DNA sequence: TGTACATCAGTGAACGCGCGTTCACTGATGTAC
DNA sequence: TGTACATCAGTGAACGCGCGTTCACTGATGTAC
């Protein structure tokens, strides 16, 4: 009952969240491909099979991380929309900021295995729907109804693409990246000479 | 000299391009993670070590594929810009079409290992610069000079994001995807109510 | 308050796998004479 | 035209590796009496 926090105890006591935390650190260090049952165990100070008391497989851990990521992203956007800024701009800035703060997680969430996760995971589907809904709600205040679907996909493409380019270091960080993000999102709301 | 095309000959005669072709087929089937020296050899009807006469490592094959991809993407855009459509729109459509036609390759080109490839590869850097230049040339005809860098990043983000969302199957293909692409790119040139 | 015991979290050894790469080799090719 | 030979493309065996997962187990925990 009186826990010696430094001693390594046979029963970890808090293993499930610890495993997830270690897995998350791993993807941030080495990308989604660096996820490994054995390495997760190693970092948690536990043998690899111990994890099987909490997850059926490595894929289950990855799916759990993705779920976590979508929940956090959704919350982050919620919080931004409560702020003083205009909605779409604040949401977009928050979106890109999340990706930049959690590049490994973001890549896991939207990477190749994405479809596999969201297929069977109700929580992920719900978070995604919530994010999309927030965006559409705002767009509906500004546009005629028939423009909304296209505008939503437009905005999602823009923020997703910008987030990935920055994560991948393909935007030369000449100026402050934060102001660059803002500039681009603002530019999206301005007139480009009509493309046809 | 007179080659029996069906017989398996000791000397393959055309191995280097064959290896690249098999590697390319592999990433299209299973994504960049499916690249494997041994599987490439297997498909080429050759032992795995044979490949080492042409490439120093698996990474070298991947880099070669990425180089090929950037060259093709650049050519595809060139071709589109020679056509009858307005430049930016035609270029954007061609860009997304390339990604949709070569999803595995596109992911390899812009994936996590991207930085590693383009660092030492002059050909890749040149292709990318060429693509970017084409875009900027067109933008310069339409915008004041100080808007061009932001507009370029804006456009690249948009097309990149749209390409990936489609590749990842995150756009429900309710309508024809081709017209959807066009709609979005056109929308990018229209007015969104100013975001502030 | 003290003890027997059921529970189940965590262990260590082992499985089979596929991988990238190295190595000493073999055998087809085409050139020099 | 025919033969010796250098070249080097491709081979098969082997290396060492890390992985996901299974298995029979051990030992800490907390509850029932």
């Amino acid at each position: 009952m009186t826990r010696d926090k430094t001693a390594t105890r046979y029963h970890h006591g808090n293993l499930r969240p610890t495993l997830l935390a270690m897995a998350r650190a791993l993807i941030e260090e080495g990308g989604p491909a660096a996820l490994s049952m054995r390495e997760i165990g190693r970092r948690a100070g536990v043998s690899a099979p111990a994890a099987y008391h909490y997850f059926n497989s490595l894929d289950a851990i990855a799916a759990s991380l993705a779920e976590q990521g979508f929940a956090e992203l959704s919350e982050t956007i919620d919080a931004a929309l409560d702020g003083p800024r205009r909605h779409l701009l604040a949401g977009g800035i928050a979106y890109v900021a999340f990706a930049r703060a959690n590049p490994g997680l973001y890549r896991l969430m939207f990477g190749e295995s994405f479809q596999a996760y969201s297929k069977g995971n109700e929580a992920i589907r719900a978070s995604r729907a919530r994010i999309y809904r927030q965006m559409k709600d705002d767009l509906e205040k500004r546009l005629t109804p028939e423009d909304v679907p296209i505008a939503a996909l437009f905005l999602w493409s823009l923020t997703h693409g910008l987030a990935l380019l920055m994560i991948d270091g393909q935007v030369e960080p000449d100026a402050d990246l934060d102001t660059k993000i803002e500039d681009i999102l603002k530019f999206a709301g301005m007139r480009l000479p009509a493309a046809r």
Side-chain angles (χ1 to χ4, degrees), chain A:
Chain A
M1 224 11 93
T2 62
R3 291 192 174 156
D4 182 346
K5 285 196 176 153
T6 60
T8 63
R9 284 167 293 101
Y10 190 91
H11 285 87
H12 183 285
N14 198 32
L15 191 49
R16 201 192 128 98
T18 302
L19 291 171
L20 282 176
M22 296 304 143
R24 187 152 168 180
L26 254 183
I27 57 169
E28 290 308 339
E29 284 175 34
L35 257 199
S36 141
M37 218 49 154
R38 293 177 111 114
E39 182 62 22
I40 292 169
R42 233 171 269 138
R43 293 190 175 208
V46 124
S47 72
Y52 286 84
H53 278 283
Y54 304 98
F55 299 96
N56 286 328
S57 64
L58 183 61
D59 265 4
I61 293 185
S64 213
L65 285 179
E67 188 180 320
Q68 215 175 82
F70 275 107
E72 283 179 29
L73 176 56
S74 172
E75 281 162 27
T76 300
I77 293 177
D78 273 352
L81 296 190
D82 279 346
R85 298 279 232 152
R86 293 303 230 84
H87 277 186
L88 281 178
L89 182 59
I93 288 173
Y95 187 104
V96 178
F98 174 86
R100 287 225 291 149
N102 310 275
L105 186 58
Y106 189 81
R107 258 196 274 262
L108 178 76
M109 289 160 62
F110 289 98
E112 302 169 45
S113 29
F114 164 80
Q115 289 179 59
Y117 301 149
S118 62
K119 203 86 172 203
N121 191 315
E122 184 49 40
I124 291 182
R125 286 199 28 247
S127 290
R128 292 183 73 233
R130 186 142 143 268
I131 296 170
Y132 217 61
R133 187 96 292 281
Q134 289 166 334
M135 199 164 76
K136 282 194 172 166
D137 282 348
D138 203 286
L139 286 172
E140 276 159 7
K141 296 182 205 150
R142 302 161 174 251
L143 299 171
T144 56
E146 74 267 22
D147 278 347
V148 169
I150 286 294
L153 187 48
F154 161 80
L155 267 189
W156 193 18
S157 295
L158 178 66
T159 47
H160 184 54
L162 182 57
L164 283 170
L165 289 180
M166 290 195 155
I167 281 179
D168 292 337
Q170 293 180 50
V171 178
E172 64 296 1
D174 46 5
D176 182 30
L177 282 188
D178 287 322
T179 67
K180 211 167 204 167
I181 294 167
E182 205 173 320
D183 287 347
I184 288 178
L185 294 177
K186 281 184 185 167
F187 185 87
M190 291 170 36
R191 185 173 196 73
L192 252 189
R196 141 252 140 114

